Amino acid sequence: MIRVQEEDFQVDELYQRLLKANETGAVVMFVGLVRQFSDLPKAICHFELEHYPGMTERNLQTIVDEAKKRWSLLDVCVVHRVGRLSVDDQIVFVGVSAAHRAEAFQACDFVMDYLKSRAAFWKKESQGSNSHWVQANDQDEMSLERWKK
């Protein structure tokens, strides 16, 4: 399941979707939150996440498909929020179910690394009356290198 949405998500509901009776040996989940990115009060800091509908979902599907090729997975769930988000809001959920924990951990890590650097999202951080578009992060690119082997 892949969803791009403005509304918040319920982690327990997404976890339940990943369970496959008599098959699931492991579920690994990652929930990303909006962190405080300045010294300003939380109420002043937020960001806006934009995407290109259709293209973003296809992009996410490509990442999930690659994970399914690399590991024996039962299911993968990606939910990513867009729109205006504030400090402490949930922004992304990635969940992977598999028969074995090693595959679930690796696949979840892989999906998050590629989502951070290859998914079609654009983020503008706002602090008070100042705002700027966030540029690509060198650390995110370096994280991808380990998956290219």
Side-chain angles (χ1 to χ4, degrees):
M1 176 184 76
I2 294 171
R3 291 193 319 224
V4 177
Q5 61 190 42
E6 288 191 23
E7 61 274 1
D8 199 5
F9 51 84
Q10 297 299 315
V11 173
D12 186 58
E13 171 191 314
L14 298 170
Y15 168 74
Q16 293 298 323
R17 291 181 63 111
L18 290 165
L19 299 177
K20 307 298 178 214
N22 301 317
E23 296 179 61
T24 304
V27 174
V28 173
M29 299 180 297
F30 173 84
V31 178
L33 305 171
V34 178
R35 68 180 179 275
Q36 182 71 20
F37 49 87
S38 80
D39 294 331
L40 296 174
K42 284 177 20 175
I44 297 175
C45 300
H46 68 274
F47 69 72
E48 300 208 25
L49 202 60
E50 296 182 5
H51 78 296
Y52 193 125
M55 182 178 88
T56 303
E57 290 84 354
R58 283 190 303 277
N59 190 243
L60 294 172
Q61 187 64 57
T62 299
I63 295 167
V64 168
D65 290 346
E66 181 62 28
K68 288 180 176 180
K69 285 182 199 171
R70 290 176 180 234
W71 296 279
S72 180
L73 306 176
L74 299 172
D75 204 357
V76 178
C77 176
V78 177
V79 178
H80 206 297
R81 295 181 64 197
V82 293
R84 183 182 168 126
L85 297 166
S86 298
V87 174
D88 297 329
D89 284 350
Q90 296 181 134
I91 183 172
V92 62
F93 174 93
V94 173
V96 175
S97 61
H100 305 285
R101 67 181 163 84
E103 293 176 311
F105 272 111
Q106 290 172 352
C108 189
D109 201 18
F110 171 89
V111 170
M112 270 311 304
D113 279 349
Y114 272 81
L115 191 148
K116 282 281 290 180
S117 58
R118 297 293 186 260
F121 293 103
W122 298 273
K123 181 168 74 169
K124 181 167 60 171
E125 291 181 350
S126 297
Q127 302 169 354
S129 61
N130 298 323
S131 63
H132 67 278
W133 290 100
V134 176
Q135 301 300 315
N137 182 323
D138 290 339
Q139 181 61 46
D140 292 338
E141 289 298 318
M142 289 187 331
S143 293
L144 294 182
E145 289 302 313
R146 65 190 167 129
W147 303 113
K148 293 181 180 178
K149 298 176 184 174

